[in-house]
Amino acid sequence: MAAENWVFTVTAQTPTNIAVIKYWGKRDEDLILPINDSISVTLDPDHLCTTTSVAVSPDFTHDRMWLNGKEVSLSGGRYQNCLRELRSRASDVEDEKKGIKITKKDWEKLHVHVVSYNNFPTAAGLASSAAGLACLVFSLAKLMNVKEDHSRLSAIARQGSGSACRSLYGGFVKWIMGKEENGSDSIAVQLTDEKHWDDLVIIIAVVSSKQKETSSTSGMRDTVETSMLVEHRAKEVVPKRIIQMEEAIKNRDFPAFARLTCADSNQFHAVCLDTLPPIFYMNDTSHRIISYVEKWNRFEGTPQVAYTFDAGPNAVLISHNRKAAAQLLQRLLFFFPPQSDTDLSSYVIGDKTILQDAGIQDMKDIEALSPPPEIKETNTPAQKYKGDVSYFICTRPGRGPVVLTDESRSLINPETGLPK
Amino acid sequence: MAAENWVFTVTAQTPTNIAVIKYWGKRDEDLILPINDSISVTLDPDHLCTTTSVAVSPDFTHDRMWLNGKEVSLSGGRYQNCLRELRSRASDVEDEKKGIKITKKDWEKLHVHVVSYNNFPTAAGLASSAAGLACLVFSLAKLMNVKEDHSRLSAIARQGSGSACRSLYGGFVKWIMGKEENGSDSIAVQLTDEKHWDDLVIIIAVVSSKQKETSSTSGMRDTVETSMLVEHRAKEVVPKRIIQMEEAIKNRDFPAFARLTCADSNQFHAVCLDTLPPIFYMNDTSHRIISYVEKWNRFEGTPQVAYTFDAGPNAVLISHNRKAAAQLLQRLLFFFPPQSDTDLSSYVIGDKTILQDAGIQDMKDIEALSPPPEIKETNTPAQKYKGDVSYFICTRPGRGPVVLTDESRSLINPETGLPK
C-alpha cells in the first residue's frame, strides 16, 4: 500500500427494472435461487435509478453505508455475501497520480464506504432494492477492479436482492434460474438492448395506499410453503411463457407481449392470494386501472397497453407507442385527477413530452377531458377517483449501469470519504 | 280433468347455502356439470330463504313467474330445463274436496304460476339464485307429485342453477360432480344434518360496493377457458380438500374446517384473478376483513373464525361457537361502525341474541368498543371504516326445504291464481 490518507472513489448509476414474467419464490433462501426464470424490462435511469458512490481508504476503520442520506447497517447477511464475493474477486488497483496502489490481497483488509441515493421515493414500491443492490455490486466491482463480466456480477447482485441481477443490463433481460446447487448458473443475460424496441412508453401510476405491505422476502417464502398452485405455475406455466415472451420481444409483437405480461402479473397475484395467510398487493385502485385498460384494449380490438404490478399497488403500464401512451395518460388523468392543491408538474413526472402529446398543459385541460369512447358506450356516468393515485411517472425502456466519470456527480467527499 | 276453475297451490320454503369448498367451472354448460365436487353449509331459512308458491289451474294459459313482486320470464333455457324435467316425472294428483283430479299425462298440457319471494335483498350477492331455483324445483315437485327423492330433485335443480342443488338439504351438503355425460350422477347428498354441528354461528358482512360484478356464469366460463391454474385446482387440489373437509365436518374439527374453508375461498378468488380478463370479486373491504380475521386467529393460537367469499365482496364468517361469534361481532362493529344515520336494528339483522351476547344495545355501545387486543400490540391507532359495510346478518347452519301448509303463508291468491 502507498502513502496514507488517500481516498479512492468510483460513482455509478444503475437502473431499476420491472418484471414482465414474474419472479416469485426461492428454492434457496441464502443464495437467492428462484423457482423459475423471469424476464424484465429495464427502466430509463433518467427517471428511475440509483446512484452510488463507493470509496476505499486505508483510513476507513469499518465498512459503512449511507442510503438516501441516512446511515444504514451493512451487517446484514445479504450485503455481507455481496462484499465477500467481490473482495474475493478483487484485483490490483493503481493510480500513480494520486499515489494509490492496492494489491489483490490488500482488499481483504481495506474497508469501504458506500453512499447511495435513489432518484425516486424508496418507499413507493418501485424496486428500489433491485437498483440499489445492483448499483452497490456494480460500483464496488469497478472500485475493486473485478474483471468478471456482467453475467458473473449479476450472480453476485442476485445474492443481495434477487431481482437486482436483472438491473445489470439495459433493454430486456432474462434471469435464468439455473440448476447448480451453488447458484453459479443462476445469472442474468440480456435478451435485447434498449434500442431494439424503442417505441415502447411506460407510465407508472404510484397508487396511494394505507395498507402495510407484506415484504416480498417473507411473502414469497409463505407462498412457496403454503400455496397449492405455485409449483404448478413455476414448473408448468412459466417455462412456456418464457419461450413465448422471448419470441414476442424478439419480434416486437406487442399483442403477444401484452397478453403474456398481463396474464403473468395476474397469475403472480393469484398465487399470492392462494398463500396462507393470503397476500394482497393490489387494491381497489389497482383493480380499477386493470379494468380500464382491459376495457380500452377490448374496445380497440388490439392491445394498446400492457399492465403489470409488483409487490405493491402501483401499476406499471407499458404502451405500444407514443400515441397510445398519450391516449393512456388522458384516460388516467380523466379517472384519477390530481387533488386541487396538487401541482401538475409534480403529478406527472419523468418524460413530460408525453403530457404534451396528450395536449395537457394545466389543470384546466385535465378538467376538460371527456370520457373515453369505450366507457361512453355503457351510458353510465364515469366515476372519478381523485386522490387515489399519488403521481404518475412517464418513462421508457433504458440502458444498463454506467460509471459516472464526472467527479461532480460523486456522492462522496474525496477528502473525508464521507457523504457530501 | 275435473270441474274447471279450480286453482291448486303448494307453498315451500328453501334455504340458501354457502360453499366451503367452492364450485367454480363447468364441464358442461347446458347440463351444468361442474369440474369438481363442492361442499356447502345450508343457512338458517329464518334469516335467508326463498319462499315460493306454485299453482296449477286449467284456466292458466301459459307458464308465468313473479319474483319479488315483479313478473319475470320463464322462457330461459334453465327454467325450461327444470320445468321439462319435472313435468316428465309428474304423477296423478287428486283432491276430492276441491274437485281436483290431474292425471300424469295432464301435466304436459297444464300451465303453472310461480310466485317467489326472498327474505333478503336479491342483489346482495347472497346466492339468491341457488335458493330460488331450489325452491322452484322443490315446490313444483310437490305440486306435481313427483315421487323422486331429494337427490334426484337436486339433479333437476342443478340444471337451473348449479349451486341450487345443494339447497335441497339442511346441514352440510356435498355436490358430487359425477362422471356421466348426461349428468345423472351429478347430484347433491347430505353429509350431516344441521344438528350435527350446532354451535357454529355465521355472521355475514354485506359489503358496500359500487363495482359492477361479473356474473358467475360468464366468470366461470372465462376461467375454464383461460386460467392456467384452474385445471390443476380442480384435478389435484380440490379432491384432497373434499376428503379432508368431510373428515373435519364429521369430527367437528374446527381448526381443520377453518383452514380448509379459508384456503379454498382464497384459491377460488386466485383462479378468478388468473382469468383473462381477470375477475375481482373481493374489494379492499373484503381484504381488510380477511386481514382482521387472520390476525385474530393467529393471536388466539387457534382459529376462532373461518371466512369465505362467493362471487362478490360479502364476507361469510363462520364462528366456532357463540362466544367467538360475540367477540367477532364486537370486532366487526369496532372496525366497521354504522353511519350515524343508521339504526342499529337494521345494521345487525337476523339472530339478535348474538348482539346481546356482544353486550351491544345501542350506538353508544359501539362507540365505546375498545380496540381488540391483537391490534393493540401493534401500537398503531386502529383505522375505522364507517360505511364500508352495509349491514350484518347473524345466522347459523339451518334446515333444508319444507312445505308450508299454513295457507296464510301462500303467496298466491287461491281464487285468481295470481300473486296476492
Side-chain angles (χ1 to χ4, degrees), chain B residues 352-378:
Chain B
K352 306 264 186 186
T353 65
I354 305 297
L355 201 56
Q356 286 164 24
D357 283 10
I360 291 165
Q361 284 170 358
D362 54 33
M363 299 294 263
K364 275 188 198 138
D365 294 329
I366 295 180
E367 282 160 30
L369 285 169
S370 44
E374 67 272 16
I375 72 149
K376 273 188 196 153
E377 282 192 335
T378 62

Coordinates of all heavy atoms in Angstrom, one line a residue, chain B residues 352-378:
Chain B
K352 N -80.6 -11.8 16.7 CA -80.2 -10.6 17.5 C -79.5 -11.0 18.8 O -78.9 -10.2 19.5 CB -81.3 -9.7 17.8 CG -82.1 -9.2 16.6 CD -81.7 -7.9 16.1 CE -82.6 -7.4 15.0 NZ -82.1 -6.2 14.3
T353 N -79.7 -12.3 19.2 CA -79.1 -12.7 20.5 C -77.6 -12.6 20.5 O -76.9 -12.5 21.5 CB -79.5 -14.1 20.9 OG1 -78.9 -15.1 20.0 CG2 -81.0 -14.3 20.9
I354 N -77.0 -12.7 19.3 CA -75.5 -12.5 19.2 C -75.1 -11.1 19.6 O -74.1 -10.9 20.3 CB -75.0 -12.9 17.8 CG1 -75.5 -14.2 17.3 CG2 -73.5 -12.8 17.7 CD1 -75.0 -15.4 18.1
L355 N -75.9 -10.2 19.2 CA -75.7 -8.8 19.6 C -75.8 -8.6 21.1 O -75.0 -7.9 21.7 CB -76.7 -7.9 18.8 CG -76.5 -6.4 18.6 CD1 -75.2 -6.2 17.9 CD2 -77.6 -5.8 17.8
Q356 N -76.8 -9.3 21.7 CA -76.9 -9.2 23.1 C -75.7 -9.8 23.8 O -75.1 -9.2 24.7 CB -78.1 -10.0 23.6 CG -79.4 -9.3 23.3 CD -80.6 -10.2 23.4 OE1 -80.6 -11.3 24.1 NE2 -81.7 -9.9 22.7
D357 N -75.2 -11.0 23.3 CA -74.0 -11.6 23.9 C -72.8 -10.7 23.8 O -71.9 -10.8 24.6 CB -73.7 -12.9 23.1 CG -74.6 -14.1 23.5 OD1 -75.6 -13.8 24.2 OD2 -74.3 -15.2 23.2
A358 N -72.8 -9.9 22.7 CA -71.7 -9.0 22.5 C -71.8 -7.8 23.4 O -70.9 -6.9 23.4 CB -71.6 -8.6 21.0
G359 N -72.9 -7.7 24.1 CA -73.1 -6.6 25.1 C -73.4 -5.3 24.4 O -73.1 -4.2 24.9
I360 N -74.0 -5.3 23.2 CA -74.3 -4.1 22.4 C -75.8 -3.9 22.3 O -76.5 -4.7 21.8 CB -73.6 -4.2 21.1 CG1 -72.1 -4.1 21.3 CG2 -74.1 -3.0 20.2 CD1 -71.3 -4.5 20.1
Q361 N -76.2 -2.8 22.9 CA -77.7 -2.5 22.9 C -78.0 -1.2 22.1 O -79.1 -1.1 21.6 CB -78.2 -2.3 24.3 CG -78.3 -3.6 25.0 CD -78.6 -3.5 26.5 OE1 -78.6 -2.4 27.1 NE2 -78.7 -4.7 27.1
D362 N -77.0 -0.3 22.0 CA -77.3 0.9 21.2 C -76.0 1.4 20.6 O -74.9 0.8 20.8 CB -78.0 1.9 22.0 CG -77.2 2.2 23.3 OD1 -76.0 2.2 23.2 OD2 -77.8 2.5 24.3
M363 N -76.1 2.5 19.8 CA -74.9 3.0 19.1 C -73.8 3.4 20.1 O -72.6 3.4 19.7 CB -75.4 4.2 18.3 CG -76.4 3.9 17.3 SD -75.7 2.8 16.0 CE -75.4 4.0 14.7
K364 N -74.2 3.9 21.3 CA -73.2 4.3 22.3 C -72.2 3.1 22.6 O -71.1 3.3 22.8 CB -73.8 4.8 23.5 CG -74.2 6.3 23.4 CD -74.6 6.8 24.7 CE -75.4 8.1 24.5 NZ -76.6 8.2 25.4
D365 N -72.9 1.9 22.7 CA -72.0 0.7 23.0 C -71.0 0.4 21.9 O -69.9 0.0 22.1 CB -72.9 -0.5 23.2 CG -73.8 -0.4 24.4 OD1 -73.4 0.3 25.4 OD2 -75.0 -1.0 24.4
I366 N -71.4 0.7 20.7 CA -70.5 0.6 19.5 C -69.3 1.6 19.7 O -68.1 1.2 19.5 CB -71.2 0.7 18.2 CG1 -72.2 -0.5 18.0 CG2 -70.2 0.7 17.0 CD1 -73.0 -0.5 16.7
E367 N -69.7 2.8 19.9 CA -68.6 3.8 20.1 C -67.7 3.5 21.2 O -66.5 3.9 21.2 CB -69.3 5.2 20.3 CG -69.8 5.8 19.0 CD -70.9 6.9 19.3 OE1 -70.8 7.6 20.3 OE2 -71.8 7.0 18.4
A368 N -68.2 2.9 22.2 CA -67.4 2.6 23.4 C -66.5 1.4 23.3 O -65.7 1.0 24.1 CB -68.3 2.4 24.6
L369 N -66.7 0.6 22.1 CA -65.8 -0.6 22.0 C -64.4 -0.2 21.9 O -64.0 0.7 21.3 CB -66.2 -1.3 20.6 CG -67.5 -2.0 20.6 CD1 -67.9 -2.4 19.1 CD2 -67.4 -3.3 21.4
S370 N -63.6 -1.0 22.7 CA -62.1 -0.7 22.6 C -61.5 -1.6 21.6 O -62.0 -2.6 21.2 CB -61.5 -0.9 24.0 OG -62.0 -2.1 24.6
P371 N -60.3 -1.1 21.1 CA -59.6 -1.9 20.0 C -59.3 -3.3 20.5 O -59.0 -3.5 21.7 CB -58.3 -1.2 19.8 CG -58.5 0.2 20.4 CD -59.5 0.0 21.5
P372 N -59.5 -4.3 19.7 CA -59.2 -5.7 20.1 C -57.8 -5.9 20.5 O -56.9 -5.2 19.9 CB -59.6 -6.6 18.9 CG -59.7 -5.6 17.7 CD -60.0 -4.3 18.3
P373 N -57.5 -6.7 21.4 CA -56.1 -6.9 21.9 C -55.1 -7.2 20.8 O -53.9 -6.7 20.9 CB -56.2 -8.0 22.9 CG -57.5 -8.7 22.7 CD -58.4 -7.7 22.1
E374 N -55.5 -7.9 19.8 CA -54.5 -8.3 18.8 C -54.0 -7.1 18.0 O -52.9 -7.2 17.4 CB -55.1 -9.4 17.9 CG -56.2 -9.0 17.0 CD -57.6 -9.2 17.6 OE1 -57.6 -9.3 18.9 OE2 -58.6 -9.1 16.9
I375 N -54.8 -6.0 18.0 CA -54.2 -4.9 17.2 C -53.6 -3.9 18.2 O -52.8 -3.0 17.8 CB -55.3 -4.2 16.3 CG1 -56.3 -3.4 17.1 CG2 -55.9 -5.1 15.4 CD1 -56.8 -2.2 16.3
K376 N -54.0 -3.9 19.5 CA -53.3 -3.0 20.5 C -51.8 -3.2 20.4 O -51.1 -2.2 20.5 CB -53.9 -3.3 21.8 CG -55.1 -2.6 22.2 CD -55.5 -2.8 23.7 CE -56.9 -2.4 24.0 NZ -57.4 -3.2 25.1
E377 N -51.4 -4.4 20.3 CA -50.0 -4.8 20.3 C -49.2 -4.0 19.3 O -48.0 -3.7 19.5 CB -49.8 -6.3 20.0 CG -50.1 -7.1 21.2 CD -49.6 -8.5 21.0 OE1 -49.5 -8.9 19.8 OE2 -49.4 -9.3 21.9
T378 N -49.8 -3.7 18.1 CA -49.0 -3.2 17.0 C -48.7 -1.7 17.2 O -47.9 -1.1 16.5 CB -49.8 -3.3 15.7 OG1 -51.0 -2.6 15.8 CG2 -50.1 -4.8 15.4

